[in-house]
Amino acid sequence: MDAAAVPSGLADPGTDRGGGLLGRPIDRVDGLSKVTGGAPYAFERAPKGAAVAAIVGAPVGAGRVVAIDVAAAAALPGVLAVIVDDPRMPAGQASSGALPQQGTDRIFHYGQPVAIVVAESQQVANEAAALVRVEVTPATGRFDPRGEPVIDEPRIGFLPPVEMGDVDAAMADAAVTVDATYTTPVHFPAALEPHATTAWWDGDRLTLRSSNQVIGAARKTVARALGIEAERVRVLAPYVGGGFGGKTGVGAEAILAAIAAERVGRPVKVALPRRQVAYMTHHRSDTVQRIRLGTDTDGRLRAIAHESVVAQNDQGRFLEPVPFGTLPLYAGEARRFTTGLVRVDLPETGAVRAPGEAVGTFAVECGMDELAERLGINPLELRRINEPPVDPTTGKRFSTRRMIDCYDEGARRFGWPERVPDPGSVREGEWLIGIGMAAALRGNFTVEAQARVVLDEGGRARVECDMTDIGTGTYTILAQVAGEMLGLGLDRVDVVIGDTDLPPTAGSGGSFGANSSASAVVLACEDIRAELARRMNAAPEELAFENGCVRAGGRETPLADLVRGEPIVGRGHTKPGKETEATSQASHGAQFCEVAVNAVTGEVRVRRMLGVFDIGRVLNAKTARSQAIGGMAWGLAYALHEDGVVDVRDGRFVNPDFAEYHVATNADVPQLEAWFVEQVDASANPAGAKGVGELGISGAGAAVVNAIYNATGVRVRDMPVTLDKLLPGLPAV
Amino acid sequence: MKLFTYERADSAQAAATDAAAAGAKFIAGGTNLLDLMKLQVETPTKLVDISRLPLDKIEERDDGGLTIGALVPNSDLAADARVIERYEVLSRALLAGASGQLRNKASTGGNLLQRTRCYYFYDTATACNKREPGSGCSAIGGFNRILAVLGTSEHCIATHPSDMAVAMRALDATIVTQKADGDRRRIAIGDFYRLPGDTPHIENVLEAGELITGVELPAPVEAARHLYRKVRDRASYAFALVSVAGVVAMDGDTVKSASLAFGGLGPMPWRNPAVEAAIVGKPVTTASFEAAADALLADARGYGSNDFKIPLARRTLIASLRELTGTN
């Protein structure tokens, strides 16, 4: 989008925020209905007569299904159907536009759907599912990613390898180097609402009420999987109880629900039990990451290499873009960034919050901490020294980049100068105290999106698009944008989203949801403003909107009076433009953390975290902050807790539930502070906003790990930093 | 969840008789049983609801101890002034477990009977001798980070997950029961649990239908320090990797009496008299603490991913003894 195209309707933050809606910390407009149970999720308010299904998973990790005995299950009173023969049954989640493997013969991974049991109640469906006997011929599977050969140049994923200069030579010449390998485990998206879908057919038309982040793409994928035209599928997702990337694509349950509804001729709903979510949807790949950094004695990077290996099954097209955030992060002439692949017989790996950066920042930002120590340079100063003037990989100018401001503001607010550089030297009783920091960076994407805004004769505006609100605040920010543009209070703006009958967007993912859909709404409102200007016989830039009225040339007219019967329909359509191509765009930040590590047991308790973030225009200071601190808490959990364990003997997950897949609890998360250095990014999109949803997790975990090192002198490179990894390096008791 | 019948008992005797049938289970708070039923790890054909029986009182006993009704919720027990005053270790242990909501529902008797949190016990598609006798143990040779290093057998390496029971073991509690045949009996907690051996599915000495009606705590040790130290992977809502329940009384610089029990290490709340013997009657020294740790861990055996529990238990015990003896 060209800079000149930034609409006049949005005030410049910092100059005119007084009466405006945009940017203000407004409570979620859907908050009350959510906390009082009024907001219906995918499994709720099913059409009358809905049946319930349970899914039977494959009992081995590789092989073939020989026979399925459904007699006992089918005989149970209340069972409507046991479906084992539908060739459209998906093996798992459809991601990145690719269909999952379909069919019921070959077993691609443990827990793959092999039977659908449809019954009058969930209890009966579950009991019947346990009675289904699946006879298999097992085969040898590839269950240990670390034991499989690495494909150096996989032809999947979006991130090509980058090779600039000669890293090996630059490393050999460098005065100070780091060459270290870090690992991260399997991560589950772990949304509180499991994947769930209610499906019903009306003749040859299918409606899915699904917990899904990107319903426009889901509609097409479901249609392809079922072999019908997309026009016959409608997907609804009015409320989504968390997605975190795990509800991009289409979970197996959606297609299974559609198949079941077709078979029994009734609506069917499916909510995956927690343990099945792990097998029938996607997870984040484990990673192995080698970091090489080489500098002169002054700390200037001469070489930077971030080489990674990730896992995917034979069907998946997604490749965790591990070094993505490192590409524009630091200067250095010799550069190498790679993503190797190992093929495994496990459920698909896919997008989980901040694909790439969430795990890539562990390696590069811990590596920078190690480098700083070897150089004897303050870690923050090392980053400042290597701040690039332009994107060091593409040579493009940055659209906006306030990284140095984030460092400075964060250091000041956190008290970074009080850090004691010698590790293990600050002790309070049994507790070793340390602080650490890391840079945060998440690539910014603006994607194609459309929106319609209808101004009715009552002077109310209705915003319509197929965007989703996955708990992020979409309902609220779209209302704020329209209200700001048209001078309407939130009580006069309705937002209707989560329906593929509405103008298409790219949904929620990649932190592009808010900025892209908001931009489309901005343009739709511009459209309405142009029409109002015609009706006022004025130029659009002469108009001022306030309190439901429009002023021009000394005249003030209520919006309702200008509508004259037929509603005014504004249409907005935004897509990446010349500026998107011409600039390097990212959100930036600096993360700071203080930890206490128990010198006896190695237990880590985070005492405080503080982040300063550059996200362009802040659309809503409250929801933006919630996104930021939510990401920080998750980064903490990646650093300390989250560890999806694969039993390499048979391809099962050992801990696919919330009892033993540990996310951070309230007691683990201390005071979190998030601050913004706000600057409208005119190159990014008409809203001037950059992504925020995935920025907070980037670098957060590395700051924790660096703080642990500062506290203890123990450098752990295999995430998460559980106490057993610290014990050998702790002082004697 | 499989279909089951449900009965509400109107007396302890009736409950015991009702539950003597094969496939019957008592239910009180249901905080563990219902989860396991949903996963079909437990598949009772009959539930006998005891939650309305009058077993929810904490009463003084003549010998200075307390009798805790089997249905006293964990929250109430932790907050009872007499428990806080005389049995601080118990209150601390209770508060170290689960979450506020679960503690409101969980009963004293049920807590003693919690099933293991072994990953494989929960996965009905895997072999587990505790869940399905004779099927094998997936944890041996598998991932066993949270599992036992003491008291294991080639058939099972599960841990008992309770915090409360560890404190009760340190307090020499007695478990009072009502049997189906009308008899009542008192079982010392040290005799209550069974090692897995080749029957890991049998976890205690209760007979069919035998109902825990209460727990007796003997008079408190005078002038003792109490400690419950729970080491875990996150600050809340995680089971103990290692826990130490301790009640220690001093006579000057000499340990007069010591009672030490351990969680997270074995298939039952663990206690070993040799640990206490290593310090009782002796002056406080690092050497005696190390001897206590040696005694605790002499027979410890790691299974790979839980090897760290052995040094962790050593360090935690020594630090706990410093605190209990006032020498830290």
Side-chain angles (χ1 to χ4, degrees):
Chain A
M1 193 54 60
D2 296 335
V6 172
S8 54
L10 295 181
D12 183 0
T15 59
D16 176 17
R17 297 301 283 278
L21 280 171
L22 210 57
R24 284 172 51 198
I26 289 168
D27 290 346
R28 284 154 200 261
V29 295
D30 53 337
L32 186 66
S33 70
K34 278 186 171 169
V35 298
T36 54
Y41 288 80
F43 202 65
E44 300 175 302
R45 297 199 197 161
K48 203 166 155 43
V52 189
I55 314 301
V56 179
V60 297
R64 288 194 175 274
V65 176
V66 175
I68 302 179
D69 179 357
V70 303
L76 204 65
V79 171
L80 299 168
V82 183
I83 303 164
V84 299
D85 55 356
D86 196 305
R88 302 169 299 175
M89 282 169 64
Q93 181 131 332
S95 295
S96 301
L99 285 183
Q101 200 70 37
Q102 290 173 285
T104 54
D105 171 33
R106 194 179 143 197
I107 298 168
F108 297 97
H109 60 79
Y110 182 86
Q112 164 188 336
V114 293
I116 315 169
V117 179
V118 193
E120 296 287 357
S121 74
Q122 188 74 66
Q123 287 76 12
V124 171
N126 292 355
E127 179 170 2
L131 295 173
V132 173
R133 290 284 159 261
V134 183
E135 193 186 323
V136 300
T137 305
T140 306
R142 300 159 296 173
F143 305 130
D144 182 1
R146 310 280 160 88
E148 296 301 322
V150 177
I151 301 161
D152 286 327
E153 291 196 26
R155 309 223 171 273
I156 58 172
F158 71 89
L159 194 61
V162 173
E163 182 93 56
M164 299 169 68
D166 186 337
V167 167
D168 294 334
M171 286 291 288
D173 289 347
V176 180
T177 61
V178 165
D179 182 350
T181 298
Y182 302 81
T183 67
T184 61
V186 164
H187 290 141
F188 297 124
L192 198 55
E193 180 200 26
H195 287 60
T197 297
T198 303
W200 65 95
W201 292 82
D202 181 8
D204 66 355
R205 298 184 68 81
L206 171 68
T207 304
L208 298 176
R209 204 179 150 80
S210 190
S211 187
N212 191 287
Q213 296 178 223
V214 187
I215 58 176
R219 175 197 202 191
K220 292 177 190 154
T221 304
V222 167
R224 278 177 60 209
L226 295 174
I228 61 177
E229 304 82 45
E231 292 66 36
R232 285 165 52 193
V233 179
R234 182 183 185 192
V235 181
L236 305 173
Y239 296 97
V240 179
F244 311 115
K247 292 169 182 170
T248 54
V250 177
E253 96 293 344
I255 295 162
L256 295 168
I259 290 170
E262 186 180 51
R263 184 71 65 97
V264 301
R266 287 167 59 174
V268 171
K269 53 182 194 172
V270 182
L272 293 182
R274 180 61 59 189
R275 297 177 76 86
Q276 283 193 332
V277 172
Y279 294 112
M280 298 189 194
T281 73
H282 69 226
H283 59 271
R284 190 200 304 276
S285 173
D286 62 306
T287 72
V288 178
Q289 306 178 44
R290 182 184 182 194
I291 285 288
R292 285 183 288 163
L293 302 167
T295 67
D296 293 336
T297 50
D298 62 2
R300 283 182 200 285
L301 282 166
R302 304 290 306 277
I304 176 168
H306 192 171
E307 295 156 292
S308 63
V309 177
V310 304
Q312 181 57 286
N313 64 22
D314 284 336
Q315 295 75 49
R317 306 282 309 155
F318 177 88
L319 192 71
E320 178 84 19
V322 173
F324 185 53
T326 313
L327 298 176
L329 190 52
Y330 297 119
E333 304 82 52
R335 310 175 73 77
R336 183 173 161 78
F337 305 99
T338 61
T339 315
L341 167 69
V342 290
R343 290 289 190 183
V344 290
D345 298 306
L346 294 171
E348 187 157 318
T349 62
V352 180
R353 198 176 199 173
E357 292 92 334
V359 287
T361 48
F362 274 109
V364 67
E365 287 305 286
C366 292
M368 287 293 278
D369 205 63
E370 297 198 43
L371 180 63
E373 183 175 46
R374 283 180 204 179
L375 284 159
I377 295 178
N378 186 300
L380 192 148
E381 187 58 28
L382 177 65
R383 288 167 173 85
R384 196 197 308 271
I385 289 170
N386 288 289
E387 174 70 5
V390 297
D391 186 315
T393 301
T394 64
K396 293 178 181 177
R397 68 186 154 86
F398 295 118
S399 60
T400 49
R401 178 158 165 138
R402 301 283 299 276
M403 191 68 104
I404 294 289
D405 295 322
C406 293
Y407 292 147
D408 291 347
E409 181 83 356
R412 182 180 68 77
R413 289 184 180 277
F414 185 80
W416 177 256
E418 289 141 47
R419 170 178 179 268
V420 179
D422 287 345
S425 58
V426 181
R427 186 161 177 153
E428 295 176 12
E430 258 186 20
W431 295 91
L432 301 165
I433 313 300
I435 66 177
M437 63 85 57
L441 185 145
R442 169 67 185 163
N444 181 63
F445 304 91
T446 300
V447 294
E448 186 167 5
Q450 298 182 41
R452 181 165 60 220
V453 177
V454 180
L455 184 65
D456 70 17
E457 58 189 333
R460 290 186 72 83
R462 187 172 70 251
V463 177
E464 299 177 334
C465 58
D466 79 353
M467 177 62 185
T468 50
D469 188 329
I470 58 171
T472 43
T474 307
Y475 280 106
T476 312
I477 58 161
L478 295 188
Q480 284 177 267
V481 169
E484 173 94 8
M485 291 289 293
L486 299 175
L488 296 171
L490 286 182
D491 58 338
R492 301 190 67 76
V493 181
D494 301 307
V495 176
V496 184
I497 56 175
D499 181 346
T500 50
D501 281 356
L502 301 174
T505 68
S508 302
S511 297
F512 51 64
N515 55 27
S516 303
S517 62
S519 292
V521 172
V522 165
L523 297 176
C525 290
E526 288 279 285
D527 199 18
I528 289 182
R529 288 164 64 116
E531 176 59 24
L532 292 171
R534 276 193 289 280
R535 296 184 185 192
M536 294 279 286
N537 290 320
E541 56 275 14
E542 291 177 59
L543 304 191
F545 292 78
E546 206 171 354
N547 298 326
C549 294
V550 55
R551 283 196 311 272
R555 294 168 291 155
E556 179 170 298
T557 313
L559 285 177
D561 292 354
L562 290 166
V563 176
R564 301 175 201 149
E566 281 291 295
I568 300 175
V569 179
R571 290 185 172 81
H573 189 166
T574 186
K575 50 187 166 185
K578 279 181 288 185
E579 276 294 291
T580 312
E581 268 303 301
T583 55
S584 170
Q585 299 184 6
S587 300
H588 309 99
Q591 307 262 19
F592 296 82
C593 175
E594 176 181 337
V595 300
V597 181
N598 191 281
V600 173
T601 63
E603 288 165 289
V604 178
R605 299 290 178 255
V606 176
R607 288 183 158 186
R608 60 192 175 108
M609 292 176 81
L610 182 147
V612 178
F613 303 107
D614 154 30
I615 59 168
R617 181 194 293 279
V618 177
L619 298 172
N620 178 322
K622 189 170 192 174
T623 57
R625 175 179 178 275
S626 295
Q627 287 294 301
I629 63 174
M632 292 163 73
W634 205 355
L636 178 162
Y638 274 9
L640 301 180
H641 309 305
E642 296 195 35
D643 188 2
V645 179
V646 177
D647 194 320
V648 298
R649 296 172 300 180
D650 52 23
R652 291 185 178 104
F653 290 117
V654 174
N655 57 345
D657 63 28
F658 282 155
E660 295 304 334
Y661 181 80
H662 283 182
V663 300
T665 67
N666 286 338
D668 294 296
V669 181
Q671 181 185 346
L672 300 177
E673 284 186 49
W675 300 89
F676 299 109
V677 289
E678 191 171 2
Q679 178 183 354
V680 171
D681 191 323
S683 298
N685 49 60
K690 300 192 285 192
V692 56
E694 295 165 309
L695 181 62
I697 192 171
S698 303
V704 175
V705 177
N706 291 338
I708 292 170
Y709 178 78
N710 183 240
T712 63
V714 183
R715 175 63 69 181
V716 178
R717 299 189 183 95
D718 298 309
M719 308 304 143
V721 186
T722 46
L723 57 83
D724 48 298
K725 296 169 189 168
L726 294 170
L727 274 181
L730 295 178
V733 293
Chain B
M1 190 178 289
K2 299 184 73 164
L3 294 178
F4 56 89
T5 61
Y6 171 87
E7 289 173 30
R8 192 177 290 167
D10 54 16
S11 73
Q13 171 66 61
T17 306
D18 283 350
K25 282 259 177 196
F26 296 114
I27 184 164
T31 53
N32 192 201
L33 180 60
L34 289 179
D35 285 354
L36 293 170
M37 286 172 66
K38 288 175 189 169
L39 296 170
Q40 300 194 18
V41 173
E42 295 268 19
T43 53
T45 52
K46 176 176 171 181
L47 285 188
V48 178
D49 184 352
I50 58 166
S51 62
R52 287 165 178 79
L53 297 179
L55 299 171
D56 58 349
K57 304 282 188 301
I58 303 171
E59 292 168 314
E60 295 277 355
R61 286 153 30 85
D62 293 341
D63 64 359
L66 291 177
T67 298
I68 302 158
L71 294 175
V72 173
N74 288 177
S75 304
D76 291 8
L77 186 57
D80 186 273
R82 294 161 294 185
V83 172
I84 293 170
E85 158 106 25
R86 298 178 221 168
Y87 308 101
E88 187 189 342
V89 63
L90 177 57
S91 181
R92 285 175 176 251
L94 284 158
L95 293 175
S99 65
Q101 294 91 332
L102 284 170
R103 292 194 295 267
N104 286 343
K105 282 298 283 181
S107 68
T108 303
N111 192 316
L112 291 168
L113 300 180
Q114 278 187 79
R115 307 301 306 276
T116 184
R117 294 288 169 161
C118 175
Y119 321 97
Y120 300 96
F121 178 69
Y122 270 73
D123 186 345
T124 53
T126 63
C128 170
N129 287 320
K130 190 183 276 297
R131 178 166 34 73
E132 196 178 330
S135 62
C137 175
S138 301
I140 297 172
F143 187 71
N144 44 49
R145 172 177 172 78
I146 62 172
L147 300 179
V149 295
L150 291 170
T152 57
S153 76
E154 61 184 303
H155 303 285
C156 185
I157 61 171
T159 43
H160 191 273
S162 172
D163 293 299
M164 181 198 81
V166 177
M168 285 185 169
R169 181 102 205 244
L171 292 169
D172 288 310
T174 298
I175 293 158
V176 185
T177 69
Q178 170 75 55
K179 300 209 303 185
D181 63 8
D183 285 354
R184 297 169 62 84
R185 63 169 171 159
R186 298 172 72 255
I187 309 164
I189 192 168
D191 299 327
F192 183 77
Y193 294 103
R194 291 172 46 135
L195 288 173
D198 57 4
T199 55
H201 58 295
I202 304 172
E203 296 174 354
N204 55 58
V205 298
L206 291 175
E207 297 169 10
E210 188 169 6
L211 173 69
I212 297 174
T213 56
V215 176
E216 295 175 0
L217 299 181
V221 177
E222 285 185 19
R225 278 179 196 252
H226 287 226
L227 168 145
Y228 188 73
R229 180 160 187 166
K230 178 176 179 177
V231 182
R232 48 184 149 181
D233 273 329
R234 60 181 170 187
S236 164
Y237 213 66
F239 295 93
L241 296 169
V242 171
S243 72
V244 180
V247 180
V248 169
M250 300 293 293
D251 182 2
D253 291 337
T254 301
V255 177
K256 185 172 154 195
S257 73
S259 177
L260 296 161
F262 303 88
L265 297 176
M268 60 173 68
W270 197 258
R271 192 162 170 187
N272 179 345
V275 178
E276 293 149 8
I279 57 169
V280 171
K282 295 176 185 159
V284 168
T285 62
T286 295
S288 73
F289 294 167
E290 285 177 347
D294 289 342
L296 174 67
L297 298 164
D299 296 325
R301 177 189 166 183
Y303 289 86
S305 32
N306 69 350
D307 291 350
F308 73 96
K309 283 191 173 188
I310 297 170
L312 178 63
R314 166 176 291 277
R315 296 171 69 92
T316 307
L317 174 58
I318 291 170
S320 297
L321 289 174
R322 293 221 172 92
E323 192 171 337
L324 281 162
T325 56
T327 52
N328 55 339

